[in-house]
Amino acid sequence: FKDPKSGTTWTQASGVIRAAYDAGITPAQVRANPSILPVVPFFENIFGKAANTTFTGSATANYFYSVYNTYGGSDLDALNDMDRLRLSNGTCISVYGCNTFFANQAAGITSYTNEGRGSFHGATLVLRRALSKGWGFDFNYTLSHSIDNASGTEGGGGLGNQDAFNPNSFKASSNFDIRHNITTNYVIEVPVGKGKKFLGNSNKWVDGAIGGWQVSALGSYRSGLPLSVSNAGIYPTNYLSSAIGILKPGATMPAYGRYDQTGSPNGFASTTAASAFMGQYPGTTGNRNIIRRPAYYNTDISISKYFKMPIEGHRLQVRGEAFNGFNNVNFGAPNLSLANPATFGQITTASDARVMQFAMRYEF
């Protein structure tokens, strides 16, 4: 929305007062000394009647106070007040009348359109040995990158694109982007017992005790999935999607870790990583999926033994299986809300611990 007199938009004007706030000017300071904040032509021209409404001062100062004090930094909540509230004499604050920026019935309407864009590029390396002479394996490695402007099913809702007029502004690594993915499996028949390399002449009793053993495993590793930093409860651009975080200008990505300074599981080396981020600027879309959650490791193991039965072609198998056999801890998603800096990056969930099961199967 452009002010025809100043030629500036609401986004530009809101960026000016945001810069003042980031520079350390507080709502209390503005209320005590409104002139500390230079006037912004957009607010003076569009919401000039806001002057002296909360305290004696310019429309810019009162607008700033509404954004950063009354609504804690939520630009659209302040804009909505300026757009719908009436003064004591019944007139609207906005020079264009009430409900210029927001319809009277709703603050937003969800719509569906064919604007989803995505691409995937990848390369896969496969090493394989077919089962022969009692052993075989597969090793698969995929290096890939998935990019889109929204990750979800075609009919799914809540994809949260901040800018309905420019869907591609949300372009980033897909929520399901796995940059490195390794899967392995192997089967080994222990070469001991009748007809095997070791103790191949064993009688049926010895063979029954030491022969027929088999070990197999499924292993997997994948790099962490992307996540966005949340600035929940703040609405700078779209009333249907709360703000996401961005790196502060000049800041670098904090060091990843596994435990923080408190000894708690954390995606970063310290909860102070929160200080490297800030909420997106008003009227912008922020930076989606700039964080990676911890990587995932898992190994499922099976040990089995066959017993030959008196009837030819019949045998009994006894097996034990362990899912997450090494009991590796795979952490869940970290807390990435700027509203909770004291626990920023900390993780309170994990995938299942080791699960074991045992089975007996008669084959014929």
Side-chain angles (χ1 to χ4, degrees), residues 117-142:
R117 299 289 184 271
S119 63
F120 175 85
H121 302 277
T124 298
L125 170 69
V126 177
L127 300 177
R128 175 174 300 154
R129 184 188 191 278
L131 183 63
S132 175
K133 298 181 179 179
W135 69 283
F137 72 90
D138 275 298
F139 174 88
N140 309 283
Y141 168 67
T142 299

Side-chain angles (χ1 to χ4, degrees), residues 111-359:
S111 63
Y112 295 88
T113 183
N114 294 322
E115 292 293 342
R117 299 289 184 271
S119 63
F120 175 85
H121 302 277
T124 298
L125 170 69
V126 177
L127 300 177
R128 175 174 300 154
R129 184 188 191 278
L131 183 63
S132 175
K133 298 181 179 179
W135 69 283
F137 72 90
D138 275 298
F139 174 88
N140 309 283
Y141 168 67
T142 299
L143 171 65
S144 64
H145 192 192
S146 179
I147 303 172
D148 59 31
N149 60 2
S151 299
T153 59
E154 184 176 0
L159 298 181
N161 198 327
Q162 296 277 339
D163 187 350
F165 300 101
N166 182 18
N168 285 333
S169 65
F170 232 38
K171 183 178 179 180
S173 294
S174 303
N175 296 1
F176 46 81
D177 175 52
I178 300 175
R179 197 63 52 84
H180 304 280
N181 192 18
I182 297 174
T183 61
T184 63
N185 66 76
Y186 66 82
V187 177
I188 300 175
E189 294 179 355
V190 181
V192 177
K194 189 172 182 179
K196 302 295 183 181
K197 184 175 182 179
F198 302 102
L199 302 177
N201 295 322
S202 302
N203 59 46
K204 64 180 181 179
W205 302 107
V206 174
D207 183 56
I210 64 174
W213 288 94
Q214 179 178 288
V215 179
S216 59
L218 298 172
S220 60
Y221 161 83
R222 63 172 181 262
S223 54
L225 296 171
L227 295 170
S228 298
V229 175
S230 168
N231 201 20
I234 306 298
Y235 299 91
T237 301
N238 188 322
Y239 239 142
L240 301 184
S241 302
S242 60
I244 61 176
I246 62 174
L247 272 175
K248 290 181 178 178
T252 58
M253 185 63 67
Y256 286 111
R258 196 167 176 85
Y259 299 94
D260 60 28
Q261 78 280 9
T262 70
S264 301
N266 198 311
F268 297 99
S270 173
T271 55
T272 59
S275 63
F277 301 96
M278 60 189 290
Q280 69 191 65
Y281 291 103
T284 68
T285 58
N287 299 123
R288 171 174 161 249
N289 287 346
I290 57 176
I291 303 296
R292 291 277 173 171
R293 65 186 293 168
Y296 175 88
Y297 308 82
N298 183 71
T299 304
D300 300 330
I301 305 172
S302 171
I303 300 176
S304 62
K305 177 172 172 37
Y306 286 102
F307 294 92
K308 295 178 181 179
M309 305 305 291
I311 304 175
E312 184 177 357
H314 290 228
R315 62 181 185 175
L316 180 70
Q317 183 196 55
V318 178
R319 61 189 297 119
E321 298 171 335
F323 302 94
N324 189 12
F326 298 120
N327 209 29
N328 186 66
V329 178
N330 286 301
F331 291 122
N335 161 43
L336 294 177
S337 174
L338 296 177
N340 301 297
T343 58
F344 189 81
Q346 289 187 351
I347 301 171
T348 57
T349 61
S351 58
D352 292 338
R354 181 192 297 121
V355 176
M356 301 182 68
Q357 67 180 23
F358 300 90

